[in-house]
Amino acid sequence: MNAQEYYHRVIDRLKNCYQFSHYVIAAGHELATEGYDPAFPAATEPIHQLENLTLQRGFQVHIPLVGERSQSVLMPIDFEIFLAEENHKLYEDPAAQKKFFDQTVPVVRFLETLFRSRGMPYILDYTPSGAHILFQNLLGYSTSEELQKIGYLENDLIKACNYIDPDDIRRWYGISLDAARVFSGLGKIAEYIALLTMEAFKENESMGLFPVTISDVHDRCLNFDNSWSEGSPFMRSIRSPFSLHKKNQEKYGKYHQPPLVDVIGTYFDGNTASEETNINFILDCMWDLEKAANHAQKFSGFIPCSNETLIDFIHEYKSSDLYLFHQDFDSQEDIPRGFALEYAKKEGNIPDWTKNILYFPNPSALQPKNMIGLVYDFLIHAHWKPKHIANVLRDIYQNPSFNWTQDFFKYPAEEKANFWARTYSVVSLWKTGRLNL
């Protein structure tokens, strides 16, 4: 079975994944020859092009996180194995993949138990490197109102969300500030879930297993890629359930292999689950499009919506030290623009390698492995406030002399800086026993 034949079998279900979307993002190396960025060739097309992009062209397809006219915001918990320069081993063959994938299974089961024990609906979509847990959040409902209350918007993010561009389908309508606050609130909930998981598996490293982290801060880790919650909501998407997964071919040159595919493991409506618990069968489907197409018939493709059980979970989060930290962080005063970096360069309680990042930040100040160390040194050794560490990153990002290639209008510098400083300040406090869950 080839890619187009596979998509013919699942197209009705794939369409249902885009229930609230007016566009689709397609990714594939072929797009580089059509003028798209060769670093990440992707096309953003109206939703009526979904069939052409899949049935005819066989692309990978992604769902935008914010629905049409800001009617919904998708939660995309993204959990994956990271092997640094050996990531290709996940795509060598099924046996090589399974050797590493087995380490993710206890974490996935932990996450499923977390959701099911609280009655929170979700869909679990396995990927060749891990899994996505997805649920929609509709604006105008009590769950979204509670998420808005814990969200926070920086001024530069507000400007980016308000901007309308008739030539960019992602920005036809702008993003409502209510939806942006829901997006921000979901990011904080995702951080809480990641920390709960890190706490549950904190002995992994001492047992010779991969540590659980937020982003790829170790050469080998099981990481929550929470970077989706950093940046503008209109720029964020996640690969759709039922999508092909061509990283084996396009990144690692395995052109003798067929494309892989993402495979649904569970649909939980808050009461009952339709699921496949045999991980060997799931992995078999990833490598066999016909098996995947047959398995797909068990699911509708609709992504469940959150219900009032999420409000109870938000209240759990609000009773934690993490919530208190977030409240304090959001209320801290900023150092005026341009001054934080100069103050940081004069700080005597940081090591030389950290100080070197201040002078040569491109690309170190965008790399999680370096940012977590920088934040730790300023927070724990130099006793800086977390928001002021964020201000250092902000000043670095806003300085054009560092020759940034990233668009800090689409990915606002202030918001980006706050995300990374907030996230890794929390991790630093948790690691040193100063923040409990």
Side-chain angles (χ1 to χ4, degrees), residues 78-82 211-216 221-225:
D78 186 355
F79 176 74
E80 61 188 8
I81 306 164
F82 179 69
V212 178
T213 65
I214 297 178
S215 200
D216 47 356
C221 57
L222 308 174
N223 80 80
F224 284 86
D225 184 1

Side-chain angles (χ1 to χ4, degrees), residues 301-372:
F302 289 110
I303 297 172
C305 295
S306 60
N307 58 28
E308 292 196 355
T309 60
L310 180 61
I311 298 175
D312 295 333
F313 189 65
I314 293 171
H315 289 163
E316 285 185 42
Y317 152 73
K318 292 175 77 171
S319 68
S320 71
D321 285 359
L322 179 63
Y323 174 71
L324 295 177
F325 174 88
H326 285 160
Q327 291 292 102
D328 182 56
F329 183 92
D330 291 344
S331 65
Q332 286 173 14
E333 292 290 329
D334 289 297
I335 296 175
R337 294 174 186 272
F339 287 91
L341 180 58
E342 293 308 309
Y343 296 156
K345 289 178 177 178
K346 297 174 183 177
E347 176 58 62
N349 295 309
I350 57 172
D352 289 342
W353 84 266
T354 302
K355 187 160 288 189
N356 189 62
I357 295 174
L358 304 179
Y359 289 91
F360 306 100
N362 188 358
S364 296
L366 293 173
Q367 296 169 333
K369 185 183 295 187
N370 290 302
M371 283 191 286
I372 194 171

Side-chain angles (χ1 to χ4, degrees), residues 241-260:
F242 309 109
S243 173
L244 294 179
H245 187 117
K246 294 187 173 183
K247 194 176 288 186
N248 60 326
Q249 298 176 342
E250 298 189 347
K251 187 170 184 179
Y252 300 115
K254 307 294 184 183
Y255 293 107
H256 64 283
Q257 296 176 353
L260 304 184

Side-chain angles (χ1 to χ4, degrees), residues 281-300:
F281 176 77
I282 292 290
L283 297 182
D284 285 346
C285 289
M286 282 184 193
W287 292 81
D288 187 319
L289 294 181
E290 187 164 1
K291 285 184 180 179
N294 291 336
H295 174 67
Q297 307 311 307
K298 299 177 183 177
F299 303 96
S300 70

